[in-house]
């Protein structure tokens, strides 16, 4: 992102200044596109680079139920992890065979609107199927009458990344109900997703709640909109220290759809009821599959 911004500014001071000038004009004309479903480029999504990335960990996508391509779906992805690698590979590329597993379904993954303000970088994001994380963007995807659209939301968001460390099963979900309200307003089935191994890719500097580091991270998140976890893993040529993620398997399990009755203005009680049902289904999904992915029997999901 920094390189894209630097290149955009630097070009103004060279004989290629017209490139940045024309792009700035295009950027203004096209400014609403991240909220209008993005702009997928299949050649980008099918790039061999993503298959190498998939095989590095490796990453696998598991289907537990069929999805009707005549319907739209709202999927909750858990946990965020440090970089949400599983969400990107499974829903923004074809490396794990999404279109084969879910024929007729077009995936869209939400990302902070901030990143779509970066020149050139925004085009890369949209080409992979990412859309901005605002209500207008979500509604655009979910209300498409032809169906066959899937909107994936990493519900815990940037704040949950601050609790991402190997073995953690803590999800920031107890009071996150906006996605449930959105599903009710559009009558869209909710689909829980749990990505086993997502938290195991990096070690994070200890930052318990109440510590000066956690308070600083929380403050920076309020100002910038993104969290800044202090993490490390392995190096390129050695395994002791670096920023390259560990080679640990990620298995993203897609649960079965939870039917949701449409209501334009759901009450708090109705939202709470569907939210609790979602929590129950997510717990059930986790408990049914955890033994396959080396999660100890006595470890359960914790909602905060």
């Amino acid at each position: 992102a920094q390189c894209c911004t630097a290149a955009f500014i630097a070009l103004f001071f060279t004989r290629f200044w017209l490139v940045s000038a024309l792009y700035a004009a295009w950027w203004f004309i096209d400014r609403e596109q991240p909220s209008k479903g993005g702009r997928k480029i299949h050649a980008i999504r099918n790039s061999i680079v993503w298959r190498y990335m998939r095989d590095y960990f490796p990453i696998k996508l598991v289907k537990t139920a069929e999805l009707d391509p005549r319907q739209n779906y709202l999927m909750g992805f858990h946990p965020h992890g440090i970089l949400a690698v599983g969400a990107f590979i499974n829903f923004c590329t074809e490396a794990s065979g999404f279109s084969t597993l879910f024929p007729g379904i077009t995936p869209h993954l939400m990302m902070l609107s901030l990143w779509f303000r970066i020149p050139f970088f925004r085009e890369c994001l949209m080409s992979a199927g990412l859309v901005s994380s605002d209500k207008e963007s979500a509604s655009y995807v979910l209300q498409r009458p032809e169906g066959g659209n899937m909107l994936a939301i990493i519900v815990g968001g940037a704040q949950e990344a601050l609790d991402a460390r190997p073995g953690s099963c803590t999800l920031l979900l107890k009071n996150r109900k906006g996605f449930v309200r959105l599903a009710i307003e559009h009558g869209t089935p909710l689909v829980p997703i749990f990505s086993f191994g997502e938290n195991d890719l990096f070690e994070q500097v200890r930052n318990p709640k109440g510590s000066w580091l956690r308070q600083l991270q929380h403050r920076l998140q309020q100002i910038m909109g993104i969290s800044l976890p202090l993490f490390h893993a392995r190096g390129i040529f050695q395994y002791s220290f670096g920023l390259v993620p560990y080679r640990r398997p990620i298995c993203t399990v897609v649960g079965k759809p939870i039917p949701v009755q449409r209501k334009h203005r759901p009450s708090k009680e109705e939202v709470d009821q569907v939210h609790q049902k979602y929590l129950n289904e997510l717990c059930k999904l986790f408990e049914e599959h955890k033994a396959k992915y080396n999660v100890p029997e006595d470890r359960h999901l914790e909602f905060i």
Side-chain angles (χ1 to χ4, degrees):
Q2 293 92 335
C3 292
C4 290
T5 303
F8 177 74
I9 295 172
L11 283 172
F12 275 113
F13 300 95
T14 70
R15 59 179 176 172
F16 301 107
W17 63 269
L18 189 59
V19 173
S20 285
L22 291 174
Y23 182 80
W26 161 252
W27 189 5
F28 178 77
I29 295 169
D30 194 56
R31 64 189 181 281
E32 299 296 331
Q33 193 60 36
S35 297
K36 302 294 183 184
R39 186 186 299 106
K40 283 187 178 69
I41 299 177
H42 292 290
I44 300 294
R45 288 176 55 85
N46 284 288
S47 172
I48 193 172
V49 172
W50 310 129
R51 294 198 288 276
Y52 284 127
M53 188 173 174
R54 172 202 65 194
D55 294 339
Y56 172 81
F57 294 98
I59 297 173
K60 184 180 180 183
L61 182 64
V62 176
K63 177 177 74 171
T64 64
E66 296 293 336
L67 298 184
D68 185 352
R70 294 170 296 181
Q71 279 193 303
N72 296 320
Y73 296 90
L74 197 160
M75 295 187 169
F77 183 93
H78 316 272
H80 183 286
I82 296 292
L83 298 177
V85 175
F88 178 79
I89 289 296
N90 287 314
F91 305 131
C92 297
T93 81
E94 285 297 329
S96 55
F98 181 91
S99 295
T100 303
L101 283 173
F102 300 102
I105 304 293
T106 301
H108 304 269
L109 178 64
M110 299 194 90
M111 190 176 190
L112 282 174
S113 303
L114 165 72
W115 299 111
F116 293 94
R117 298 171 190 164
I118 300 173
F120 302 126
F121 188 58
R122 70 188 290 274
E123 313 301 332
C124 299
L125 296 178
M126 287 194 291
S127 68
L130 287 150
V131 295
S132 61
S133 58
D134 53 62
K135 190 171 183 180
E136 177 191 354
S137 177
S139 296
Y140 184 87
V141 173
L142 296 178
Q143 66 189 8
R144 287 184 174 178
E146 70 275 13
N149 292 284
M150 180 214 86
L151 182 68
I153 301 177
I154 307 177
V155 182
Q159 190 175 340
E160 190 176 79
L162 298 177
D163 288 310
R165 45 182 45 87
S168 173
C169 292
T170 301
L171 302 180
L172 186 62
L173 188 55
K174 183 182 285 186
N175 296 312
R176 295 275 171 121
K177 301 177 182 179
F179 74 106
V180 173
R181 182 177 294 276
L182 192 64
I184 297 174
E185 289 174 350
H186 291 87
T188 308
L190 281 165
V191 181
I193 300 173
F194 194 87
S195 193
F196 292 90
E198 195 73 45
N199 281 336
D200 298 338
L201 307 185
F202 298 93
E203 300 285 349
Q204 186 170 178
V205 174
R206 192 168 178 274
N207 59 342
K209 290 181 180 178
S211 66
W212 68 267
L213 177 57
R214 188 58 168 257
Q215 290 175 353
L216 176 61
Q217 289 173 322
H218 183 62
R219 182 59 180 160
L220 288 173
Q221 182 194 340
Q222 290 178 321
I223 296 171
M224 302 169 61
I226 57 175
S227 64
L228 297 171
L230 296 180
F231 60 90
H232 62 89
R234 53 163 290 185
I236 298 175
F237 301 111
Q238 43 76 29
Y239 292 86
S240 57
F241 189 83
L243 296 178
V244 178
Y246 294 121
R247 296 190 70 176
R248 292 172 179 170
I250 297 173
C251 190
T252 303
V253 183
V254 180
K256 64 180 181 180
I258 302 169
V260 174
Q261 186 173 359
R262 184 172 186 175
K263 187 170 184 180
H264 181 56
R265 291 182 179 175
S267 65
K268 181 181 181 299
E269 290 72 23
E270 289 169 325
V271 172
D272 289 345
Q273 185 179 8
V274 176
H275 182 260
Q276 186 58 53
K277 188 173 183 180
Y278 179 86
L279 295 184
N280 294 341
E281 289 296 326
L282 181 60
C283 284
K284 183 179 177 182
L285 181 71
F286 178 80
E287 295 295 332
E288 287 178 352
H289 293 272
K290 68 180 184 181
K292 302 174 189 175
Y293 307 113
N294 302 317
V295 177
E297 182 63 31
D298 61 351
R299 189 167 295 164
H300 309 285
L301 291 183
E302 177 187 357
F303 301 121
I304 59 174

